[in-house]
Amino acid sequence: MSRFLVPHFNFKALPDTHLRENLCPHQPLPPQRLLQCSTSASHSTSNNYRPAVILPGLGNNSGDYHKLEQTLEDKYGMPTVVAKVSRVDWLRNAAGLVDPNYWRGTLQPRPVLDWYLKRVDDAVQEAKLLAQQQDASISLIGHSAGGWLARLYMQDFELSHHVSLLLTLGTPHLPPPKGVAGVIDQTRGLLDYVEKNCSKAVYTHQLKYVCIAGRYIQGAPLWGSSNSVANAEFAVPAGEGVNMKPESGSTLRGRIVGQGYKQVCGEAEVWGDGVVPQVSAHLDGALNISLDGVYHSPVGSDDELRPWYGSPSVLDQWVQHLLH
């Protein structure tokens, strides 16, 4: 069954006129969040950074991003909100199974994904309350599928005109190639829809797209010889002194990871973050960045041997895009 419809957790393997609508009425913040708003605003008086909204990836919940949220707030004084998503929420995507377009591979994102887009809109409204100025712009940080879901949000929702930066972390932006043996579009047409109907990436003064890819492990074909099997498979950040030598069984790991890469980009022997190939995480027109030694998910990662995009040492390499 599609990974899009049922979350796939892999803890070891190592994104004319358009309808705009607001699916949810404004909900008042709870007292503890109002206190946090006041504290964050006071903390950031001298910085006046635009608030950031973190959009969870497929299978992740809001708690997975708590450390990233706290680092942005405590170290940089940046008001930050994580869209409220639980792991169970992702089972809502199974509604797509009753849509004939799912079986044809032409599934459209709405109404199947309206539940997620509503959570994004709630978070954006909350972030605007954190802003010191009523007309302040917002940064969206989309992890994995959260990156292309952010593009859907920006296409269809009224509050998206406040977004001045979309920064994606390991997002599979591009649909898999057609006609490649053994490749099945796990989004069942959703990424085709995004590519054809959502605005193209830009990097302008008014709106910036920044797409960050990780180079953690090189995939290998399932059968036969491979350069990535013969050589070291893990990318180590220069000067970091981190020991990420291939572990026992790393050849098998490279072949397994390679099969995941193939489903996303049509090739197994490419570099990626353990889930999403580097080539799929970049967009024409965006500022595209690749970081060595960066793993895909906060789940199954750590800040030392297997840092993910939100680990403090990695955050330091891209946070400047949120500050300007």
Side-chain angles (χ1 to χ4, degrees), residues 142-314:
H143 171 236
S144 196
W148 60 262
L149 284 161
R151 296 178 66 193
L152 287 171
Y153 175 78
M154 292 168 65
Q155 194 71 14
D156 287 351
F157 282 71
E158 183 63 33
L159 284 178
S160 66
H161 72 275
H162 291 283
V163 176
S164 62
L165 170 69
L166 171 59
L167 187 145
T168 64
L169 305 171
T171 291
H173 284 292
L174 307 178
K178 306 295 188 295
V180 178
V183 174
I184 300 174
D185 180 3
Q186 298 178 54
T187 70
R188 306 310 298 151
L190 292 176
L191 285 178
D192 279 317
Y193 180 95
V194 172
E195 185 175 54
K196 293 174 182 176
N197 295 279
C198 290
S199 298
K200 302 302 181 184
V202 296
Y203 192 81
T204 66
H205 179 72
Q206 294 78 20
L207 177 61
K208 295 179 173 65
Y209 281 63
V210 179
C211 300
I212 301 178
R215 285 170 47 88
Y216 183 72
I217 181 172
Q218 185 177 14
L222 188 59
W223 310 109
S225 60
S226 165
N227 290 331
S228 59
V229 170
N231 301 319
E233 298 171 343
F234 295 87
V236 181
E240 291 294 327
V242 178
N243 179 13
M244 286 197 289
K245 295 179 182 178
E247 305 170 7
S248 176
S250 61
T251 297
L252 176 60
R253 177 181 296 192
R255 294 187 189 278
I256 293 173
V257 168
Q259 294 314 294
Y261 290 166
K262 184 176 180 179
Q263 295 304 311
V264 179
C265 72
E267 297 182 52
E269 202 167 353
V270 295
W271 280 95
D273 60 17
V275 175
V276 175
Q278 175 183 349
V279 66
S280 299
H282 288 163
L283 279 173
D284 288 342
L287 175 61
N288 295 311
I289 300 169
S290 294
L291 300 177
D292 282 346
V294 178
Y295 179 61
H296 179 77
S297 176
V299 179
S301 70
D302 60 59
D303 294 337
E304 300 298 330
L305 297 181
R306 188 186 290 179
W308 81 287
Y309 295 98
S311 294
S313 62
V314 181

Side-chain angles (χ1 to χ4, degrees), residues 33 36 40 43 54 62-82 310 312 315:
R33 189 55 173 157
Q36 185 177 352
S40 297
H43 186 64
I54 300 173
S62 303
D64 295 336
Y65 305 89
H66 178 69
K67 185 173 182 178
L68 173 58
E69 176 188 18
Q70 288 300 115
T71 303
L72 288 172
E73 291 184 345
D74 297 343
K75 183 175 180 178
Y76 298 98
M78 181 178 300
T80 306
V81 178
V82 182
L315 172 61

